[in-house]
Amino acid sequence: MQERLKELQAEALDKIAQAADLKELNDIRVAFLGKKGPITEVLKGMGKLSAEERPKMGALANEVRDAISSQIEARQTELEAAAVELKLAAEKIDVTLPGRPVKAGNHHPLTRIIEEIEDLFIGMGYTVAEGPEVEQDYYNFEALNLPKGHPARDMQDSFYITEEILLRTHTSPVQARTMEKRQGKGPVKIICPGKVYRRDNDDATHSHQFTQIEGLVIDENIRLSDLKGTLDVFAKKMFGADREIRLRPSFFPFTEPSVEMDISCKMCGGHGCSTCKGTGWIEILGAGMVHPNVLEMAGYDSKRYTGFAFGMGPERIAMLKYGIDDIRHFYTNDIRFLKQFSVTE
Ligand code: DAH
């Protein structure tokens, strides 16, 4: 009996040591220490022992039970710790791994150019003014010295909605609206960015919808030289300090005198090349001294106040600055085009 108990202990301890998980360990506990287990079975034979041997055998049986259960406990602790280790390893986060990049959007190149131009003028004390895209004939034409039937209206083929309402053909109506609001009191110093519309057939240099930025300065003693100085600063900041500007006489009904501003060609340094069509100069914008009729219609005393105005196309400026060959790229939203202006990639 004694031997049998020792055998059972050895067998149990061996199995415990090999138990691979908690379930197996529990099965071993039930198998060896349970009521139907082999130890209980052996002890049933105690009745045949002498009175002397019986307590000894009882004590031995208890020893064996204790040895087995303490071994089970030890193994259980071991297995539990291993299970925790395993779980930790499985859930481990490598904080040194680089993060997954989040794709960021970007400003459209036109928005970028418009904001750059805005910032430049804001830096010179201008404020930004906006006006409606669906405009009254009055502000788009009449208040700009373009009465009905004026031949210069043909310069800007318009989308009319009714006789009196149209999609604005330029940002100049914002001039007229702003001046009217000031009720004849200077000074005014604004730039007006926005969308404009013309009945043009779309091609590499024309679009039925495009953007403009208008500038207007009104005060006492504003002269053409102020306009020239302003445009010179603008051109040098926008295109490079080595650029020269020149003003050519031109015609706009809302300015007198009217000019067009060219910048010296960067490609050839002014010697003449295909970009500047051999002239050494590239046309950038229209400008002039605000026509007295325009001032008077908005309620300004044209004897006291004078002003200058200019209007430019951000598309044209972006095309020159970035070497873009087709205006339609701005509106077709080809991601490969837009990505070239990305700041994050
Ligand atoms: N509004 C003109 C156009 O769309 C551009 C322009 C020229 C605006 C001269 C002005 C200006 O303010 O003074 O062609």
Side-chain angles (χ1 to χ4, degrees):
M1 187 175 271
Q2 193 174 339
E3 250 161 51
R4 178 72 190 126
L5 283 173
K6 289 277 176 202
E7 258 172 46
L8 280 171
Q9 177 174 350
E11 193 188 328
L13 295 190
D14 194 40
K15 284 200 165 150
I16 292 165
Q18 280 171 33
D21 56 34
L22 290 167
K23 185 186 170 305
E24 220 177 288
L25 194 64
N26 197 45
D27 290 347
I28 295 168
R29 181 205 312 280
V30 173
F32 283 90
L33 303 178
K35 281 208 180 92
K36 290 177 188 152
I39 298 177
T40 319
E41 204 57 39
V42 172
L43 291 180
K44 276 184 190 160
M46 288 251 274
K48 290 179 200 142
L49 297 177
S50 65
E52 235 168 75
E53 290 227 37
R54 219 176 283 158
K56 277 193 204 155
M57 210 45 71
L60 180 64
N62 281 340
E63 253 173 51
V64 170
R65 270 182 206 276
D66 287 350
I68 293 175
S69 52
S70 73
Q71 203 56 33
I72 286 178
E73 238 167 73
R75 182 75 185 135
Q76 182 167 345
T77 316
E78 238 173 70
L79 286 174
E80 275 169 0
V84 169
E85 282 301 316
L86 213 66
K87 197 161 185 251
L88 283 179
E91 290 174 4
K92 193 169 151 192
I93 297 169
D94 183 353
V95 292
T96 66
L97 277 178
R100 291 202 185 97
V102 178
K103 292 224 166 182
N106 250 298
H107 280 156
H108 190 278
L110 263 185
T111 308
R112 238 304 175 98
I113 281 282
I114 291 170
E115 283 178 358
E116 196 180 331
I117 297 171
E118 276 176 11
D119 284 351
L120 210 151
F121 281 100
I122 288 168
M124 294 195 273
Y126 289 65
T127 53
V128 176
E130 287 184 331
E133 286 171 33
V134 178
E135 185 54 284
Q136 295 172 35
D137 182 279
Y138 175 76
Y139 292 111
N140 195 80
F141 290 128
E142 272 179 63
L144 295 167
N145 202 28
L146 275 151
K148 289 211 166 77
H150 193 292
R153 283 192 178 210
D154 297 344
M155 283 161 73
Q156 303 181 357
D157 265 337
S158 320
F159 286 113
Y160 272 92
I161 294 168
T162 68
E163 287 267 305
E164 294 300 328
I165 308 238
L166 74 162
L167 298 182
R168 67 179 176 192
T169 55
H170 50 180
T171 42
S172 304
V174 187
Q175 285 188 27
R177 284 177 171 275
T178 308
M179 282 192 269
E180 193 185 71
K181 256 189 242 150
R182 302 281 169 98
Q183 299 188 318
K185 288 185 204 73
V188 176
K189 216 172 167 187
I190 51 163
I191 46 161
C192 327
K195 290 193 183 105
V196 300
Y197 303 81
R198 289 194 197 170
R199 276 192 320 136
D200 268 328
N201 289 325
D202 292 0
D203 62 23
T205 53
H206 293 86
S207 170
H208 60 283
Q209 183 249 291
F210 56 103
T211 63
Q212 279 193 340
I213 296 182
E214 190 82 12
L216 174 71
V217 172
I218 292 178
D219 207 343
E220 293 176 26
N221 296 318
I222 297 291
R223 291 174 296 200
L224 189 65
S225 52
D226 296 315
L227 171 63
K228 188 170 184 186
T230 304
L231 295 180
D232 193 43
V233 170
F234 162 73
K236 288 188 162 62
K237 288 218 170 145
M238 208 62 200
F239 295 101
D242 54 342
R243 295 300 192 98
E244 297 296 326
I245 67 160
R246 75 172 183 188
L247 302 182
R248 272 181 296 110
S250 185
F251 170 77
F252 300 103
F254 27 91
T255 44
E256 183 58 37
S258 301
V259 296
E260 266 166 319
M261 183 194 92
D262 299 339
I263 54 163
S264 55
C265 180
K266 186 171 143 186
M267 294 295 170
C268 58
H271 302 299
C273 66
S274 62
T275 305
C276 57
K277 299 192 185 97
T279 64
W281 295 95
I282 297 171
E283 187 192 318
I284 295 288
L285 54 77
M289 299 306 290
V290 180
H291 197 290
N293 288 355
V294 173
L295 286 166
E296 295 287 341
M297 266 187 281
Y300 278 83
D301 177 356
S302 64
K303 302 241 164 24
R304 185 173 163 205
Y305 286 107
T306 49
F308 66 72
F310 55 86
M312 65 180 104
E315 281 87 345
R316 181 164 173 73
I317 290 172
M319 286 168 87
L320 287 170
K321 199 167 156 137
Y322 299 130
I324 298 165
D325 60 357
D326 194 319
I327 196 169
R328 290 168 291 197
H329 285 312
F330 291 115
Y331 316 114
T332 41
N333 286 334
D334 184 332
I335 205 80
R336 293 167 302 179
F337 170 75
L338 297 173
K339 267 195 171 164
Q340 296 177 62
F341 303 91
S342 148
V343 279
T344 52
E345 282 179 88

